[in-house]
Each structure stands twice: as C-alpha cells, then as structure tokens.
C-alpha cells in the first residue's frame, strides 16, 4: 500500500516506521524538505513535499499539531488533492493550560472531512507515541484494541488493516461523528499524562471472552 505521511514529528516517525517495516511504500512529506528527507532516510522510506505525500498515496496520515492542520492541508493541495482520498487523522484538538485539558465540541476529523472532501478516518489518537512503538502493543496479555471511526466502509476497512499491521485489534465504532468521543477520550488520556502518569497509560477494551481466555491460559494479571 502507498502511504503518504503529512508531518515529520514523533507520530509520523512511529507509525510511518512501523508501516515501512511491514512492507508498505511510505512517502514522508513535510513543510521542511530537509526534515522530510532526514525522517525518510531513517525509516527507509521516500520523501517529498506535502503535496507529493497527498497525491501519490492510497492512504494519507495526517500527523501534525492540530494548530498546523489548516496550513498543512492547504499546502498538500486541499480539496483538489484530497477529495475522495483516505485520510487518517490521528490529531487531537486539545488546549493545555496548567493542568487543564479541554477539547472542542465538533471533532477535528469532521472539520477536516468538510474542508477537503476526503474520506476521513479517526484513529491512533488515544495513545502516546511510545505505545505505538511497542511491537506489538499489548496490555494485560492482550493486543491493544484500537477504536476508529469514519463514514466510508472501504476507508474503514483499509485503516483496520493498517491497525492489524501494528499487531493491534481494530474496533470500528461508528461514523465520523464518533470522532467527537474519541477526541474527548484522548483529552482525558492527555490530562493523565500531563499529571504524571506514565506514557503507556491506555484505554483497552476488555470483554468477558477475553477474561475467560486469559483464565484458561493462566496469564498473570498485570498491575
């Protein structure tokens, strides 16, 4: 799969690196050509402009600070370049003030979809980057369950496969309006991290079947 990365930060490095290692064709696009080239070299990927990352990809990961989203989308070509494309939004529109974390009433994912005409899927926004660096991310003896949402069924299936490439379990939770809930959950996680919780603080879905399998296997309960 051809994956374009919009951004050169920690999430771009982590997810892009994992997907490159899984055999995907990754192209890193950044506002700084030098940073994009440096990251691409580190990942064994290709580099280019933000427009290159948007136009040449089957899936585009948006991995920038939320305040930079409008600028980055415009530089990537906006509606003309991204209309109908699958865009994975892992950003969180949160404000950090002292020990207070707040999020907006309308999700950033919905705003991105309206702005670009892309098939936006909200995913990978609930965990700190160090969680995605785990190979695989697992907690309490179980794969990390990754909630994601989007309007388009094919786009959701594509992102679900990328989640599985990380060794995680995809959980489609609904249409793109559910991004409001995922972003609110992320605000809570970020608040906990900001207050000193370790970076591996996560929400993970537990079902009765999971518990039964764990008891049969005799897996220890992790603190």
């Amino acid at each position: 799969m051809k994956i374009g990365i919009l951004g050169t930060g920690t999430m771009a490095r982590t997810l892009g690196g994992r997907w490159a290692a899984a055999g995907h064709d990754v192209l890193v696009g950044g506002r700084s050509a030098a940073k994009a080239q440096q990251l691409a070299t580190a990942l064994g990927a290709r580099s280019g402009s933000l427009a290159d990352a948007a136009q040449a990809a089957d899936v585009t990961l948006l991995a920038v600070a939320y305040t930079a989203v409008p600028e980055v989308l415009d530089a990537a070509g906006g509606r003309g370049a991204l209309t109908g494309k699958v865009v994975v939004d892992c950003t969180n529109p949160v404000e950090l003030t002292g020990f207070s974390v707040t999020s907006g009433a309308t999700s950033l994912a919905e705003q991105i979809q309206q702005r670009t005409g892309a098939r936006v899927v909200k995913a990978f926004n609930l965990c700190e980057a160090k969680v995605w660096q785990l190979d695989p991310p697992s907690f309490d003896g179980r794969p990390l369950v990754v909630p994601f949402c989007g309007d388009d069924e094919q786009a959701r299936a594509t992102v679900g496969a990328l989640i599985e490439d990380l060794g995680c379990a995809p959980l489609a939770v609904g249409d793109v309006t559910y991004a409001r809930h995922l972003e609110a959950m992320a605000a809570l996680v970020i608040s906990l991290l900001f207050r000193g919780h370790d970076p591996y603080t996560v929400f993970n879905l537990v079902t009765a079947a999971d518990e039964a399998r764990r008891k049969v296997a005799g897996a220890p309960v992790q603190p």
Side-chain angles (χ1 to χ4, degrees):
M1 189 184 303
K2 293 181 179 179
I3 302 175
I5 308 288
L6 300 179
T8 57
T10 306
M11 287 294 287
R13 175 181 294 273
T14 300
L15 294 176
R18 294 293 308 279
W19 288 328
H24 294 290
D25 180 5
V26 175
L27 191 154
V28 179
R31 286 171 287 180
S32 164
K35 287 184 178 179
Q37 178 61 65
Q38 183 180 33
L39 178 56
T41 299
L43 302 183
R46 298 180 292 127
S47 70
S49 66
L50 291 168
D52 292 333
Q55 294 168 5
D58 301 312
V59 177
T60 301
L61 173 71
L62 178 62
V64 296
Y66 89 94
T67 52
V69 165
E71 174 190 348
V72 168
L73 291 177
D74 287 347
R79 180 171 288 273
L82 294 169
T83 299
K85 293 288 189 73
V86 179
V87 171
V88 183
D89 170 30
C90 70
T91 64
N92 284 307
V94 299
E95 295 285 352
L96 300 177
T97 306
F99 285 99
S100 176
V101 181
T102 60
S103 61
T106 302
S107 73
L108 186 57
E110 292 172 274
Q111 296 175 43
I112 292 168
Q113 182 162 280
Q114 184 176 20
R115 186 185 186 101
T116 63
R119 295 180 288 162
V120 175
V121 177
K122 190 78 182 189
F124 307 109
N125 71 309
L126 295 181
C127 302
E128 210 272 350
K130 289 184 178 179
V131 172
W132 306 118
Q133 293 168 4
L134 297 173
D135 189 13
S138 61
F139 296 84
D140 209 15
R142 297 173 293 107
L144 177 66
V145 176
V146 181
F148 65 104
C149 65
D151 288 339
D152 186 83
E153 182 177 358
Q154 184 181 25
R156 292 196 304 268
T158 298
V159 175
L162 292 176
I163 291 170
E164 290 177 337
D165 284 340
L166 303 182
C168 298
L171 177 65
V173 296
D175 62 33
V176 75
T177 62
Y178 279 76
R180 303 174 191 179
H181 307 302
L182 295 183
E183 290 175 4
M185 289 171 66
L188 177 56
V189 173
I190 292 168
S191 177
L192 293 173
L193 298 178
F194 198 55
R195 296 175 186 180
H197 285 248
D198 71 74
Y200 299 102
T201 300
V202 300
F203 287 114
N204 201 15
L205 185 70
V206 180
T207 67
D210 292 326
E211 286 301 290
R213 283 192 294 269
R214 189 179 67 174
K215 289 178 180 179
V216 170
V221 177
Q222 297 180 0

